[in-house]
Amino acid sequence: MSDQLEQIEGVDFAVAMYRENGAWVVRELAHDLLTDVETLTHALHRFPGDGGAIAMAAIDEDFFVIVRVTGAATRVLLSDVTAADEWELAASALDVLGLPLPEEVEDEEEADPAGDLGILADFGMSAVDMGMLLDDMIEDDLYPDETLSEIARAIGCGEAFDDTVGLMPA
């Protein structure tokens, strides 16, 4: 899938999240910001925040990307490397991470995450917990929105996240 319009239409939701004066703020992001990690990173710089700004995006009920910008540093977590075969955002995440595109994989067992599992550790979601949640996502066929909601709950902004993306509380 290389048509940019199809890529944008495949976005389930995208939000920017940041802490301001100790409270979480969650805002929707325009889907056209999700063409690649560089564009998304640039957009995140406009948000204030104690600890930078975080983007969470769910794509095509298949995978998610978390991008965190703190000053000049950009950190990335991609839930499924195989998504890079079809999605420019996932391919650009691998590029930012310095990883090669995966070879075509038929087996879901190869749907491994890539990037910084500790991307939200300072907010309460340790790398170990993130890894276990991603394993659960693959093993239990959880949707990206469910997984991102769990992550938002773990860092203390679950209700604001669910309200913004229109999810019903679990």
Side-chain angles (χ1 to χ4, degrees), residues 43 48 105:
V105 178

Side-chain angles (χ1 to χ4, degrees), residues 27-115:
R27 302 272 185 250
E28 275 191 79
L29 286 172
H31 293 184
D32 62 350
L33 295 174
L34 299 171
T35 55
D36 56 49
V37 171
E38 184 177 308
T39 302
L40 185 54
T41 298
H42 180 72
L44 287 175
H45 280 292
R46 69 181 181 163
F47 294 102
D50 316 331
I54 302 160
M56 291 187 178
I59 312 295
D60 199 36
E61 296 185 350
D62 187 36
F63 73 98
F64 68 80
V65 176
I66 299 174
V67 175
R68 181 172 179 189
V69 174
T70 310
T74 300
R75 298 165 68 186
V76 178
L77 177 62
L78 173 63
S79 68
D80 178 357
V81 296
T82 63
D85 289 335
E86 295 183 39
W87 296 92
E88 291 173 29
L89 178 61
S92 76
L94 291 181
D95 187 48
V96 166
L97 293 167
L99 298 173
L101 292 175
E103 295 178 25
E104 273 196 40
V105 178
E106 299 287 325
D107 187 4
E108 253 188 48
E109 294 297 315
E110 300 296 325
D112 292 325

Side-chain angles (χ1 to χ4, degrees), residues 14-29:
V15 295
M17 304 165 27
Y18 56 93
R19 290 181 56 86
E20 190 169 50
N21 299 320
W24 281 104
V25 178
V26 181
R27 302 272 185 250
E28 275 191 79
L29 286 172

